[in-house]
Amino acid sequence: MNKFLFPAVFLVLFTAFFWIACNAPVQNEGDSTQKLKGEGYGETAEYFSSDSILSKQPFLQEILTKVNESLKQPVPVILMQDSLDNAQKQAQAIALQDGGFLKSVKDEKGRALRNEIFGIFPARESDYATRQLADICKNGGCYRVEMYNYALNLTTVALVNNPSGQVLSVYSLPHTQPDIPVYLKKIALKIATESPEVAKALGGKPEEGTALMADTKTALNRSRCERSMHLCVSPTFVKGEKALWTIVDLTDFRLVGLRWTYVGDAGPAPALTERKIQNEKLTECYCKKQTNLEQNGWKLNYMLTSSDGLRISEVVYKGKAVIQSAKLVDWHVSYSNTDGFGYSDAIGCPFFSTAAVVAVEPPKVLDLWENGVKTGFVLSQNFFSEGWPQPCNYNYQQRFEFYDDGRFRVSAASLGRGCGNDGTYRPVTRIAFAGDKLSFWEWGGDDWKKWEKEQYQLQKPNTPYTKEGFQYKIGNEANAYFVVPGNGQFKDGGRGDNAYTYLTVNHPDKDEGESDLITIGPCCNTDYRQGPEKFIEPNPEALNQGGLVMWYVPQIKNDDTKGKEYCWAESFIENGIYSTKIYPCFSGPMFVPVQGKF
Amino acid sequence: MIKYFFPSFMFLFFFSVAGCGEKEKEIRYTGSQAFKDCKKQPAFVQNLGFDLSRSAFSTSEKRVKGLTFIQFPAQNAPEDRKLFQHPSWKEFGWLGPMAIDENGNIFIAPVPVINVLDNPAEKQNNIYKVNTQTGEMSLFIQLPMQQKPNEFNPYGVLGLVYDCEKGILLASTVAGSDRENIRGCLYAVQTKGKPVVLDQLTEKDAIGIGVNYLNGEKKVYFGEARTSDIYSVGISKDGKFEGKPRLECSLADLGPRGDDKARKIRFNAEGDMIVMGVEFNFNLIAPTEKQETPYTFRYDIFTRKWGYVPEKKIQ
């Protein structure tokens, strides 16, 4: 198992120098599958579910059928698929009757996990942990049987003595993957060569024989999917002075990513892994620079910040400036059963940032549908803790919705799971409106009342709204918007925001949060002190016809009650591996253009 | 995010009752040899009523900011757990690496956890000292920063080790570094009398730091913060770094993650290098479970190279 060694032929092939190109944002093409746009150089491939791959790759049917059949067996283990001699078959059969070897093939509730025998080899001296084992095996007949558990990312190794029909020893290596069998190498290669992203990057479909992995075993193994904890390998294609690394996930049977490298003679390049390709892509393309997006009459820039999530700026609708900038400053998470217990999380870039929960995939641009009609687009970004959905790990989503008719919405959700079922999430969103001579009005039940000073207000059960659901309006004579807080009406599962709204003066000569804000407030204040009040107290300024910043802080309680889950996530077993069901809690206000006089 | 267990950069420090005060002697040895650890129990702990054989200093106590002194419960007696925290120990934010000298003084550095609310960037290059007699924590030295802190890098000092042969505190810091610029340093600080920086090795972003004798020469080992590589550099008797850093070994492709950085470097009695590896990308993520892996490297006197010693777990 020399999986960590790099063969000499490869040592001289790659330099440690990579490059990445940034392409157009990930676009939705009308179904649930995300596809890439752009040239493909350095692009991180999008993620597919196993089901979508199943329908797209007929050559996978056979192995998927084997997986499903094995899960129905009393011993849910796919037998070694490469050809075996009789002694190897005997060793496999002996191992599969041993309780220690089979200890992890099912979960604690007895549900079958996906397991497979990856290798059966005559035992070598290094396989004997004790002198006694070496003595038993000195006349031959001992085999090393390697099994991989896809769900747990676990390797189990048995030392089997065929003459006695006994398993002599068993050990497990967590987070370790054995060398893969030949047939899986062929599948990995097939996934890479059949992938449109790879073909696009290479300028045509590659021949299977051109991949280095075919005869360079360890090159194939030099990849990891650290975040998904899946079995990944890396077929590599050389083209002129460049080499295209691909990462293929053999747990989900999909392409994870690809990346060009320079070919050179300066020694081995660092192994290309899922996390590296994700971090580098995000850093180069979305953390260091902003991206321009023009769509459906809207024009805007966006980029990932160090600690304020995805930030949009210079938002224009049909020639009218709408937003100077909008971003999510903090997530405050408090747990009511333990006084003062919680976390104040920043979200942002994965490399060099003060974010506690980081972006993993690039921002997505998705179609927006209302009642079956496409009515705009969404700019969406997820932030993810690597252990999610295990307890005390988090997954947050930011969404900026832009409608063809000029409405827009700034929303956010927790996808669980947090540290308990008594959590309250308070995302702190900052929206700096474009333009000057702005004013802000509150619906008083009968009429609009103007706010004269910086202040805050809590959305309550008895808060008055107009018949259209408007609570505030903001703008000037040229451009104005009604503000519709979340009351469970947006058909995204949200159940109401119970939000604090703060209004502060936007000083062009004083930075009150326009640049990246470090943590603005503690986790566990349960009142208005969520951070924005720092720009109001102790002496609220008069709203003197300048620019305005609106801060919006919903308060959302999570729930793990069966059938009512909210801000929650649960693991379940699907096809023998762990998947996650999410129960997001979206919050955030909608802005509706004021037609006619403001 | 954290959330249950202690973040990677926090430390637990048990006492050893190793002898101290041995004079430096000429080393005639081929291969790797750790010099004796001289740390001594701080005097103030004698009066706390703790069972010192099962007590330790910690900067990683769940939901307790700062330094704590903990008596771990005896077997089958969970109620026997005790915790002491001097009022000054929580005044300097969340803390990380520590080193103890031959008199029981503790040197300790701040490290932010999850956010920077309690750890302002401008104070991340501070080293604090807990007085062995009083237990009071106060500023020991503010290491110079090569550049003003920036919003992209919340960290400063990440590694400390005490060279008891010369009374020199060695510190690694990444303060002021950003995505494009390496501005970290290794510092050698005189601890006797007024604290003074004796030397610095610039343009080195490092985390873990350790000291041993290699083929008779004293070496400072440091784990790079941007790569998985571990380098060594010589250090003279008067605390000056000597020669060019030399690549000794790497955590690349090892362990469950494959890109760990060396958080802590120590040497056991046999001279093996024990490296605690963690994920580190200059952000504030803190996994639920302590994602730390020990790696052992053994020096081969024939090839003059450090080789990785894999660990096998038997069921």
Side-chain angles (χ1 to χ4, degrees):
Chain A
M1 283 230 308
N2 274 338
K3 66 183 290 188
F4 299 121
L5 296 179
F6 211 38
V9 64
F10 221 64
L11 282 176
V12 293
L13 198 53
F14 297 109
T15 68
F17 180 56
F18 297 111
W19 80 86
I20 276 195
C22 303
N23 307 300
V26 177
Q27 295 278 344
N28 177 274
E29 294 194 356
D31 61 13
S32 63
T33 303
Q34 300 303 309
K35 297 241 178 96
L36 295 172
K37 265 190 170 182
E39 296 303 313
Y41 276 28
E43 186 63 78
T44 302
E46 279 306 299
Y47 289 83
F48 299 89
S49 71
S50 299
D51 288 346
S52 65
I53 290 292
L54 184 76
S55 62
K56 289 175 187 295
Q57 307 281 16
F59 64 89
L60 293 174
Q61 288 292 347
E62 190 184 344
I63 180 63
L64 288 165
T65 301
K66 279 199 175 81
V67 169
N68 288 328
E69 283 174 357
S70 92
L71 294 171
K72 295 172 189 163
Q73 302 305 313
V75 177
V77 179
I78 300 171
L79 301 181
M80 180 76 186
Q81 297 296 296
D82 294 347
S83 61
L84 299 176
D85 61 27
N86 286 337
Q88 287 173 310
K89 285 178 187 169
Q90 186 186 355
Q92 177 174 248
I94 293 168
L96 289 175
Q97 290 175 358
D98 183 81
F101 189 65
L102 300 177
K103 186 179 170 187
S104 302
V105 299
K106 295 181 179 179
D107 75 354
E108 68 282 356
K109 292 180 180 171
R111 293 173 297 193
L113 303 176
R114 184 173 151 200
N115 304 277
E116 185 171 347
I117 302 296
F118 270 19
I120 304 161
F121 312 100
R124 296 167 300 178
E125 194 67 28
S126 57
D127 292 320
Y128 309 135
T130 64
R131 194 66 254 160
Q132 188 186 8
L133 291 176
D135 288 343
I136 294 171
C137 295
K138 66 184 175 190
N139 295 323
C142 286
Y143 284 82
R144 172 190 170 93
V145 182
E146 297 176 347
M147 179 171 65
Y148 181 64
N149 181 317
Y150 289 84
L152 301 174
N153 191 26
L154 174 86
T155 294
T156 303
V157 179
L159 180 65
V160 174
N161 181 241
N162 276 4
S164 69
Q166 287 185 324
V167 172
L168 302 177
S169 72
V170 174
Y171 64 87
S172 290
L173 297 163
H175 308 300
T176 305
Q177 303 163 346
D179 284 351
I180 64 172
V182 172
Y183 95 97
L184 274 180
K185 289 178 188 172
K186 289 179 180 169
I187 285 178
L189 193 54
K190 189 91 173 161
I191 290 171
T193 55
E194 294 288 329
S195 157
E197 288 85 5
V198 172
K200 196 169 191 177
L202 289 168
K205 186 185 168 192
E207 295 296 322
E208 290 185 20
T210 60
L212 280 173
M213 59 164 270
D215 52 10
T216 312
K217 189 174 70 167
T218 47
L220 173 64
N221 274 322
R222 287 189 83 237
S223 188
R224 291 160 195 270
C225 285
E226 311 94 325
R227 285 181 167 135
S228 61
M229 303 300 272
H230 284 182
L231 174 67
C232 289
V233 293
S234 185
T236 306
F237 303 89
V238 175
K239 187 179 182 184
E241 294 185 337
K242 296 179 292 184
L244 182 72
W245 287 67
T246 65
I247 298 179
V248 172
D249 180 336
L250 288 170
T251 302
D252 276 353
F253 296 115
R254 63 184 176 85
L255 183 73
V256 171
L258 48 82
R259 168 96 107 68
W260 283 102
T261 68
Y262 285 117
V263 176
D265 57 1
L272 185 66
T273 68
E274 177 195 44
R275 184 164 59 209
K276 273 185 190 171
I277 205 169
Q278 288 172 335
N279 285 359
E280 289 174 14
K281 170 75 181 176
L282 287 168
T283 301
E284 292 301 319
C285 300
Y286 301 104
C287 295
K288 287 185 177 176
K289 62 183 187 182
Q290 56 185 18
T291 301
N292 177 255
L293 178 62
E294 284 190 57
Q295 196 164 319
N296 305 40
W298 291 90
K299 190 177 168 185
L300 59 112
N301 298 318
Y302 64 90
M303 75 179 294
L304 283 167
T305 64
S306 168
S307 63
D308 292 346
L310 184 70
R311 176 181 186 267
I312 59 170
S313 61
E314 298 170 83
V315 182
V316 174
Y317 175 68
K318 292 188 175 173
K320 284 185 179 177
V322 178
I323 297 172
Q324 177 182 309
S325 70
K327 58 186 183 176
L328 204 162
V329 173
D330 274 353
W331 277 92
H332 299 160
V333 191
S334 63
Y335 293 92
S336 56
N337 288 346
T338 314
D339 191 33
F341 173 48
Y343 302 95
S344 187
D345 293 337
I347 52 176
C349 288
F351 183 56
F352 271 102
S353 77
T354 52
V357 186
V358 299
V360 169
E361 296 178 38
K364 293 187 176 94
V365 178
L366 309 167
D367 291 336
L368 188 55
W369 298 78
E370 284 182 302
N371 302 318
V373 180
K374 190 175 159 189
T375 54
F377 66 97
V378 181
L379 177 62
S380 171
Q381 178 68 54
N382 273 69
F383 300 87
F384 167 85
S385 300
E386 284 180 18
W388 181 84
Q390 294 171 40
C392 281
N393 289 285
Y394 293 78
N395 191 335
Y396 298 121
Q397 188 177 105
Q398 257 184 292
R399 282 167 66 93
F400 297 101
E401 299 174 355
F402 300 96
Y403 293 80
D404 296 350
D405 61 8
R407 289 174 293 148
F408 67 94
R409 185 171 175 224
V410 180
S411 73
S414 163
L415 312 185
R417 163 170 171 143
C419 288
N421 58 6
D422 59 334
T424 299
Y425 290 87
R426 295 180 175 88
V428 181
T429 295
R430 180 185 190 273
I431 307 165
F433 284 84
D436 56 7
K437 298 183 179 173
L438 299 177
S439 60
F440 190 87
W441 305 70
E442 170 196 349
W443 179 250
D446 299 316
D447 202 356
W448 291 99
K449 295 174 183 172
K450 191 177 179 186
W451 284 19
E452 302 291 347
K453 281 188 169 184
E454 293 177 322
Q455 65 181 83
Y456 62 85
Q457 186 174 64
L458 176 63
Q459 177 194 9
K460 295 175 184 168
N462 61 353
T463 291
Y465 305 97
T466 68
K467 64 180 189 303
E468 298 88 355
F470 306 149
Q471 185 183 1
Y472 305 111
K473 61 180 182 176
I474 183 171
N476 56 26
E477 292 303 324
N479 201 18
Y481 285 85
F482 294 113
V483 183
V484 187
N487 270 313
Q489 74 275 49
F490 294 127
K491 297 181 180 172
D492 56 3
R495 299 176 189 174
D497 291 355
N498 185 28
Y500 282 101
T501 298
Y502 308 73
L503 196 69
T504 60
V505 172
N506 190 1
H507 293 281
D509 56 344
K510 190 165 72 173
D511 188 356
E512 288 190 333
E514 185 63 19
S515 65
D516 223 346
L517 265 172
I518 58 169
T519 313
I520 194 173
C523 61
C524 301
N525 289 343
T526 56
D527 57 7
Y528 74 97
R529 293 170 301 152
Q530 300 301 322
E533 77 284 355
K534 292 173 183 170
F535 304 117
I536 296 175
E537 294 176 332
N539 300 308
E541 292 180 53
L543 307 178
N544 282 332
Q545 304 283 303
L548 294 176
V549 176
M550 178 176 159
W551 305 73
Y552 192 80
V553 185
Q555 305 180 95
I556 313 148
K557 289 187 187 302
N558 71 357
D559 195 344
D560 70 339
T561 309
K562 285 291 170 211
K564 294 181 178 175
E565 294 93 338
Y566 199 47
C567 309
W568 199 250
E570 295 278 8
S571 285
F572 65 100
I573 295 174
E574 183 182 43
N575 298 326
I577 58 173
Y578 289 102
S579 297
T580 305
K581 184 161 179 55
I582 58 169
Y583 304 90
C585 49
F586 279 101
S587 64
M590 171 87 84
F591 295 86
V592 179
V594 174
Q595 306 295 341
K597 195 167 166 21
F598 175 42
Chain B
M1 308 242 321
I2 214 182
K3 304 228 156 178
Y4 275 145
F5 298 103
F6 40 105
S8 301
F9 287 95
M10 302 193 143
F11 277 65
L12 195 66
F13 216 135
F14 279 89
F15 292 121
S16 83
V17 258
C20 187
E22 285 186 39
K23 297 293 178 194
E24 187 176 7
K25 52 195 170 199
E26 189 179 356
I27 304 294
R28 294 182 184 279
Y29 186 81
T30 302
S32 167
Q33 186 187 36
F35 61 76
K36 282 187 178 174
D37 191 351
C38 63
K39 66 177 179 280
K40 186 184 168 188
Q41 290 168 355
F44 70 86
V45 303
Q46 306 292 341
N47 304 320
L48 296 177
F50 281 40
D51 179 346
L52 299 181
S53 68
R54 51 188 169 95
S55 298
F57 284 98
S58 172
T59 55
S60 51
E61 191 61 6
K62 184 178 154 189
R63 291 164 47 195
V64 181
K65 186 170 58 180
L67 178 67
T68 52
F69 186 63
I70 304 163
Q71 174 184 288
F72 292 95
Q75 211 169 10
N76 303 323
E79 70 284 355
D80 195 25
R81 191 175 192 276
K82 289 197 239 176
L83 187 146
F84 170 76
Q85 188 169 47
H86 189 281
S88 63
W89 293 1
K90 54 187 175 186
E91 285 180 11
F92 304 99
W94 297 88
L95 303 171
M98 57 181 140
I100 303 180
D101 73 10
E102 66 274 31
N103 297 314
N105 296 300
I106 305 170
F107 302 97
I108 194 161
V111 171
V113 174
I114 299 178
N115 58 54
V116 294
L117 273 176
D118 299 302
N119 289 63
E122 63 275 13
K123 293 187 176 173
Q124 297 313 292
N125 240 19
N126 288 0
I127 297 175
Y128 302 99
K129 181 178 174 181
V130 176
N131 183 290
T132 185
Q133 297 297 332
T134 65
E136 179 96 23
M137 186 186 288
S138 59
L139 179 65
F140 171 67
I141 189 170
Q142 187 166 29
L143 294 172
M145 287 195 189
Q146 303 298 315
Q147 183 92 6
K148 234 175 93 177
N150 59 70
E151 72 269 30
F152 303 109
N153 175 10
Y155 292 106
V157 175
L158 291 175
L160 288 176
V161 67
Y162 182 72
D163 175 356
C164 56
E165 291 175 351
K166 287 294 175 187
I168 293 170
L169 184 68
L170 296 158
S172 60
T173 172
V174 299
S177 285
D178 59 30
R179 288 184 193 123
E180 282 79 30
N181 301 290
I182 299 173
R183 299 194 180 100
C185 272
L186 299 188
Y187 287 102
V189 180
Q190 170 188 291
T191 61
K192 308 304 174 196
K194 189 183 173 192
V196 173
V197 172
L198 299 170
D199 199 10
Q200 62 189 56
L201 189 62
T202 58
E203 296 179 2
K204 291 282 170 278
D205 281 343
I207 309 177
I209 186 166
V211 184
N212 87 333
Y213 281 100
L214 188 68
N215 300 323
E217 292 178 10
K218 190 186 280 186
K219 296 275 189 185
V220 177
Y221 290 77
F222 58 93
E224 280 203 333
R226 292 171 189 253
T227 74
S228 301
D229 295 340
I230 295 168
Y231 282 79
S232 75
V233 66
I235 186 163
S236 70
K237 290 180 178 178
D238 56 352
K240 304 278 187 193
F241 295 109
E242 288 183 328
K244 277 188 176 176
R246 169 192 145 107
L247 177 63
E248 297 289 355
C249 53
S250 180
L251 306 182
D253 286 349
L254 300 181
R257 293 165 294 279
D259 64 345
D260 275 359
K261 315 298 188 306
R263 178 186 74 80
K264 187 175 175 183
I265 301 171
R266 294 292 181 263
F267 295 86
N268 65 17
E270 288 74 42
D272 291 345
M273 186 195 304
I274 314 297
V275 181
M276 303 307 289
V278 295
E279 178 188 346
F280 181 71
N281 286 300
F282 290 88
N283 57 34
L284 287 171
I285 67 160
T288 304
E289 294 182 29
K290 192 180 180 190
Q291 304 278 320
E292 183 167 83
T293 304
Y295 302 89
T296 301
F297 292 87
R298 187 162 294 152
Y299 189 74
D300 185 322
I301 57 172
F302 300 107
T303 62
R304 296 193 162 233
K305 286 181 179 170
W306 291 93
Y308 174 60
V309 183
E311 186 184 14
K312 190 186 281 185
K313 291 182 180 171
I314 307 289
Q315 276 185 344

